Amino acid sequence: MAILVVVAVLALLWLLTGVRVVQQYERGVVFRLGRVLGKVREPGVTLLVPVVDRMRKVNVQVVTMPVPAQEGITKDNVSVSVDAVLYFRVVEPIKATVDVQNYAFAMLQVAQTSLRSIIGKSELDDLLSGRENLHQGLEVMLESPATGWGVHIDRVEIKDVSLPDSMKRSMARQAEADRERRARIITADGEFQAAAKLAEAAAKMAETPAAMQLRLLQTVVEVAAEKNSTLVLPFPVELLRFFEASAARVAEGAAVPAQARSEDD
């Protein structure tokens, strides 16, 4: 009886050595005598055959992997340095364990080569402003090898684009020149509109000469309202023309009676 009890206790201890706990964010891949079992161990307590079974835990959480900056030349011959960030997770633990030695390192290498390829196929404006299409292109390039490794690509994004200092200065000068061009166009357009309005006003005043005198008086009133000690009063040319016309009419009126008297004589 004592021998049986000892054997039972030893057998129980031997079985307890095969007890494993799988966390909620993990999956267990079991190798029995070197051959992988087709069923993945789910979270919770699982029992392995001691000495015979060996379990490898695989994390199925989303992995955030920064992709180091890659230098390249864009399609429009600009040297840039681009880094990115990759989000992925394991969806088939058996493939991620058996088909690839280190799936995280493999994904990093594929991400770097894909990023360099995207740099060579894109223009600078696309890297700076049109990144959505580049993100989709990177995801497509990474999805093909990742599927064979049991990995799902959740998201990949370009994080930063570094430009040479000479290119930054050139872009700054270009932006400054463009802003100056727009400012000149706006100023010229304002002067054109002001000139058109002044021409319309001059045409209206030409129809009524008294309007010019009224406008002159209004200007004098506006200047006098500022309480200035000196008042500069412009003398319009139209007023001189008015005096000339009046003198001409007076001269014509005086010439008519003189001619009549000469005829009578």
Side-chain angles (χ1 to χ4, degrees), residues 59-70:
N59 195 319
V60 295
Q61 291 177 306
V62 175
V63 179
T64 303
M65 176 180 293
V67 181
Q70 303 296 311

Side-chain angles (χ1 to χ4, degrees), residues 65-69 82-86 111 115 138 156-160:
M65 176 180 293
V67 181
V82 182
D83 59 352
V85 58
L86 175 64
L115 184 58
L138 276 173
V156 57
E157 291 183 348
I158 294 176
K159 186 166 60 174
D160 188 22

Side-chain angles (χ1 to χ4, degrees), residues 155-192:
R155 196 172 184 180
V156 57
E157 291 183 348
I158 294 176
K159 186 166 60 174
D160 188 22
V161 178
S162 299
L163 299 175
D165 294 337
S166 59
M167 179 57 63
K168 292 180 180 179
R169 290 192 294 268
S170 299
M171 295 177 66
R173 289 195 300 267
Q174 179 183 0
E176 183 179 358
D178 185 65
R179 288 194 296 269
E180 185 177 357
R181 178 183 62 84
R182 291 199 301 267
R184 289 182 178 180
I185 291 175
I186 293 173
T187 302
D189 184 64
E191 291 179 355
F192 175 79

